[in-house]
Amino acid sequence: MKKKQISILGCGWLGLPLAKNFITQKYVVKGATTSVEKVETLQKAGIQPFVFKLGTTDDPKVYADFLANSDVIVINFPPKRVSNVVETYQKQIREILPFINETQKVIFVSSTSVYQNTNDWVTETLENQPEKESGKAVLAVENILKTHLQDRLTILRFAGLYGYDRVPGRFFANKTDIPNGKAPINMIHQDDCIGLINAIIEKNVWGEIINGCSDAHPLREVFYVLAAKKQGLVPPEFKDSDFVSFKKIANTKSKELLGYTYTYPDPMVFVC
């Protein structure tokens, strides 16, 4: 019987523990990194390492080798922080698309930055109008992938990422005059990111757009002040303003379609 195989494009903060998760499930896992120094780490974890940088690779054969025979491909790398981020991110994705065959399924790890602030709940059906260039880049890549892959693609839009070495207390520590303190925040723990990806594959859910976000949405100033104090850091100071601009990411679809129960439904448990 053929072993299940997965290719994970991007083995960083989320991709590496995701790859290790699939190793425990007896998958053959191929992991792509841009760092030669990370090869040994991948090998020790039982991951087949591939080193390349999309947009700069001279020999595209490495893409074909990386994707060959995988049942599922997880595209998991954010747009670069460059001036022409929209064009750069699209170019990177277009470079690897020709090597994805007509039977392979793809999960694109996207972001809730594709949503504009509405001062209300936001679901997957909202017509997207990203406010930042990074959000515009992510939405542009979503559209490229949807056109190319159609019902073999599921887009997973994650809220703000935290967990383990990504400690929220450091995000705003020592800063002052921070706006929007009364806005609710949207966050998701690393374990739930992995859990949602697992659920998509296990339940064979394709052709969908799904939000990934905790149930609870604590106020920005409450959460980050407590988070900094818990780490022994100088807590941030927020502007005293009545103006609030926000969005609340609804996770109902992830729970109903995938039957998923969040391991960490309330990020406040990590700061109280």
Side-chain angles (χ1 to χ4, degrees):
M1 182 178 176
K2 176 180 175 290
K3 278 192 173 183
K4 296 178 293 184
Q5 181 171 294
I6 190 164
S7 293
I8 299 176
L9 179 52
C11 284
W13 179 83
L14 175 59
L16 181 56
L18 178 66
K20 291 178 178 178
N21 160 77
F22 284 116
I23 291 289
T24 66
Q25 296 182 54
K26 308 303 181 184
Y27 273 79
V28 174
V29 180
K30 295 181 177 182
T33 177
T34 60
S35 171
V36 174
E37 291 75 21
K38 206 164 188 177
V39 167
E40 185 178 356
T41 299
L42 298 186
Q43 288 175 329
K44 285 182 177 178
I47 302 160
Q48 297 180 18
F50 289 77
V51 182
F52 57 81
K53 293 182 180 180
L54 290 173
T56 63
T57 303
D58 294 328
D59 182 10
K61 183 179 179 296
V62 68
Y63 304 152
D65 292 342
F66 169 63
L67 298 176
N69 302 316
S70 286
D71 306 288
V72 176
I73 300 159
V74 179
I75 299 176
N76 170 51
F77 70 98
K80 293 181 177 179
R81 295 182 180 179
V82 293
S83 58
N84 58 338
V85 60
V86 178
E87 294 78 12
T88 299
Y89 201 39
Q90 290 180 90
K91 179 183 176 184
Q92 289 179 304
I93 289 296
R94 286 195 175 104
E95 193 165 279
I96 203 163
L97 275 182
F99 302 94
I100 300 175
N101 69 38
E102 295 181 355
T103 66
Q104 291 173 315
K105 305 291 198 307
V106 175
I107 294 173
F108 176 54
V109 176
S110 183
S111 166
T112 55
S113 65
V114 301
Y115 297 121
Q116 64 274 27
N117 284 348
T118 63
N119 284 26
D120 204 346
W121 287 98
V122 169
T123 72
E124 293 86 350
T125 61
L126 181 71
E127 184 176 344
N128 306 106
Q129 297 176 354
E131 297 171 356
K132 296 181 179 179
E133 289 302 297
S134 58
K136 293 175 183 178
V138 171
L139 184 61
V141 164
E142 282 190 9
N143 289 331
I144 290 171
L145 291 170
K146 283 192 285 187
T147 299
H148 187 84
L149 300 168
Q150 298 178 4
D151 61 358
R152 293 185 290 119
L153 167 74
T154 284
I155 295 168
L156 191 48
R157 291 172 176 165
F158 286 143
L161 305 172
Y162 77 103
Y164 302 105
D165 60 338
R166 194 179 180 96
V167 182
R170 300 174 187 164
F171 293 175
F172 291 111
N174 292 295
K175 295 184 179 179
T176 60
D177 213 28
I178 303 169
N180 233 15
K182 299 295 191 295
I185 60 172
N186 304 286
M187 303 192 75
I188 184 169
H189 193 279
Q190 184 187 90
D191 289 353
D192 284 314
C193 294
I194 293 171
L196 287 168
I197 292 170
N198 268 325
I200 289 168
I201 295 171
E202 288 172 3
K203 294 184 179 295
N204 209 29
V205 174
W206 306 105
E208 297 288 348
I209 297 174
I210 302 170
N211 291 336
C213 184
S214 298
D215 295 343
H217 303 264
L219 295 186
R220 197 177 192 215
E221 63 181 5
V222 173
F223 180 82
Y224 285 110
V225 166
L226 288 174
K229 287 180 177 179
K230 186 158 187 178
Q231 293 296 313
L233 303 172
V234 177
E237 296 179 10
F238 288 82
K239 287 182 179 180
D240 186 13
S241 172
D242 292 331
F243 175 76
V244 179
S245 178
F246 69 90
K247 58 198 172 205
K248 288 177 75 173
I249 305 300
N251 67 6
T252 305
K253 184 175 181 179
S254 67
K255 293 190 285 189
E256 293 182 349
L257 182 62
L258 300 174
Y260 187 73
T261 300
Y262 282 77
T263 304
Y264 299 105
D266 187 352
M268 287 296 288
V269 300
F270 288 92
V271 299
C272 292

